[in-house]
Amino acid sequence: MKVIDHINQAKDTLVSFEVLPPLKGKGIEALYRHLDPLMEFKPSFINVTYHRSEHVFKKRTDGSFEKVIIRKRPGTESICAAIMNKYNVDTVPHLICGGFSVNETEDALINLRYLGIDNVLVLRGDAAKNETAFEPEPGGHKYASDLLQQVVNLNAGIYLEDDLKGTQKTEFCIGVAGYPEKHFEAPNMETDLRYLKQKIDAGADYIVTQMFFDNAKYYAFVKACREAGINVPIIPGLKPVYSKKQLTVLPKTFHIDLPTELSNEILKCKTDEDVEKVGQEWLLTQSRDLKKNGVPVLHYYTLGKPHVVANVVKQL
Ligand code: FAD
């Protein structure tokens, strides 16, 4: 079932989770152990992130270095199918521009269709680890809106080979990313919203936000979106804080702020177990407030901390 249908048919705020595919060399069992305690909350859908390949330099025996391409977390599409099969829940694979030619993207979408997956979250992806700015693959997409257009075309039965006859239309429900604290490359919020609106006007069904720790920022973002003529559901993305290290890692990686009240509480903590308790309480307060204000879905980035998320959702 499509995410947008879940939202349209819901009588109350829904819950969804986001997971990472296993590291290469590991089995899927750890992911199941991660999801098992979350399934009692009947998530409407589960997102699976996409992780592009990286270049690394490996030392040869003669001391020289060899450039090799590795992909640490392959398998987004098949993990989605496995989760659907095991838990009978809808899944949303993340699909990125980075590292894909348009032909590879089309093949991935065809595979998703065969697997019975109705949803995609279309994203640009970040710069590769060895690059300073995002570079599209030769023959690939530059912006999420270009990738979105390819999915919209496929939904209309338009494939890359224009001489295909009697093509089947895909029926993907399409999500896109939004940034309550602005995408870090955008010169200002107005410009960022203009491009976000472009994605909605081109056919995106809903928005999922980057994580935020201050609900006021989410509400201001929703207001600004509505004023800009963006009227699709805006799903808040939520993440627990569980270690002191995140005080610097989160702002650096995701270009977001942590409210002073939260950072002060974390600084007072003696251990990461204490930080986890603070983070859990903060997430619960955020979630209660968002639910009270009628958000369509509470989308949790579970990332290694399913018990924290479970403790929060249990109390809602
Ligand atoms: P875009 O919408 O393409 O925007 C990128 C930048 O370009 C913005 O600054 C925007 O304002 C600007 N822009 C957009 N369109 C145009 C245009 N036509 N002309 C000029 N400028 C333009 N990354 C992963 O690699 N894998 C994941 O699984 C993943 N999941 C994510 C999930 C969520 C909910 C979020 C919020 C992010 C996720 N990301 C993921 C990170 C995401 O790929 C990065 O934030 C990336 O830098 C931007 O992606 P986007 O889809 O927002 O890009």
Side-chain angles (χ1 to χ4, degrees):
M1 185 166 154
K2 296 178 179 190
V3 168
I4 196 67
D5 293 335
H6 280 289
I7 292 174
N8 289 338
Q9 291 171 22
K11 295 195 172 61
D12 200 354
T13 297
L14 303 172
V15 171
S16 61
F17 301 122
E18 184 163 313
V19 296
L20 278 64
L23 281 166
K24 191 187 275 184
K26 307 281 179 206
I28 198 170
E29 299 74 20
L31 179 61
Y32 290 153
R33 279 197 298 278
H34 183 98
L35 280 172
D36 282 344
L38 295 171
M39 296 317 291
E40 67 170 286
F41 306 112
K42 302 202 172 2
S44 299
F45 51 92
I46 293 174
N47 283 45
V48 181
T49 54
Y50 189 92
H51 301 260
R52 68 183 292 186
S53 309
E54 299 170 19
H55 292 155
V56 292
F57 289 91
K58 281 206 168 151
K59 202 170 184 179
R60 294 195 185 102
T61 45
D62 65 0
S64 65
F65 285 89
E66 178 189 11
K67 188 175 169 184
V68 287
I69 297 174
I70 56 160
R71 200 164 151 219
K72 287 187 182 157
R73 293 181 186 271
T76 299
E77 301 89 343
S78 42
I79 291 292
C80 281
I83 292 173
M84 273 172 71
N85 191 38
K86 182 166 169 69
Y87 298 108
N88 193 22
V89 63
D90 288 302
T91 52
V92 184
H94 292 193
L95 208 60
I96 65 169
C97 305
F100 282 94
S101 68
V102 292
N103 286 295
E104 287 162 342
T105 297
E106 186 171 274
D107 290 348
L109 288 163
I110 290 169
N111 278 329
L112 290 174
R113 188 69 189 135
Y114 291 155
L115 291 167
I117 292 169
D118 298 325
N119 299 288
V120 283
L121 186 71
V122 305
L123 302 144
R124 186 195 68 180
D126 281 319
K129 283 242 162 78
N130 55 325
E131 290 170 354
T132 49
F134 176 82
E135 284 293 335
E137 197 68 5
H141 297 301
K142 191 171 179 191
Y143 294 110
S145 50
D146 305 326
L147 171 55
L148 177 105
Q149 190 57 54
Q150 186 173 6
V151 184
V152 169
N153 285 350
L154 226 54
N155 279 351
I158 303 165
Y159 288 67
L160 294 172
E161 287 161 59
D162 53 15
D163 54 351
L164 289 181
K165 300 272 183 304
T167 54
Q168 194 185 40
K169 294 176 180 177
T170 58
E171 292 177 22
F172 289 109
C173 168
I174 310 169
V176 291
Y179 301 83
E181 298 177 57
K182 186 181 87 59
H183 185 260
F184 70 104
E185 291 167 24
N188 48 58
M189 189 54 118
E190 288 68 28
T191 312
D192 208 18
L193 286 180
R194 199 165 68 235
Y195 291 126
L196 181 57
K197 184 164 187 308
Q198 218 173 58
K199 295 193 275 192
I200 306 307
D201 291 347
D205 296 288
Y206 66 96
I207 297 165
V208 189
T209 75
Q210 181 59 281
M211 71 188 75
F212 56 88
F213 293 91
D214 177 357
N215 286 0
K217 293 196 169 150
Y218 167 82
Y219 298 131
F221 177 68
V222 174
K223 185 167 178 280
C225 284
R226 301 307 180 224
E227 283 167 6
I230 296 170
N231 293 310
V232 297
I234 302 178
I235 300 176
L238 298 162
K239 181 183 164 93
V241 183
Y242 47 82
S243 78
K244 255 191 188 168
K245 222 169 68 180
Q246 287 175 301
L247 278 182
T248 46
V249 170
L250 292 176
K252 187 168 170 229
T253 314
F254 299 103
H255 311 275
I256 51 151
D257 279 353
L258 275 79
T260 317
E261 196 190 333
L262 175 59
S263 63
N264 282 347
E265 282 301 310
I266 293 172
L267 285 171
K268 276 192 238 154
C269 293
K270 294 212 163 39
T271 64
D272 276 349
E273 283 75 52
D274 295 340
V275 177
E276 192 174 295
K277 281 189 203 127
V278 169
Q280 185 172 304
E281 207 44 46
W282 191 271
L283 186 62
L284 178 61
T285 307
Q286 268 196 290
S287 305
R288 280 188 170 139
D289 177 69
L290 290 162
K291 189 169 153 71
K292 196 179 78 195
N293 282 285
V295 298
V297 185
L298 292 165
H299 182 69
Y300 293 98
Y301 302 117
T302 62
L303 308 169
K305 294 287 165 186
H307 58 284
V308 176
V309 173
N311 289 340
V312 167
V313 181
K314 209 173 279 170
Q315 295 179 71
L316 286 177

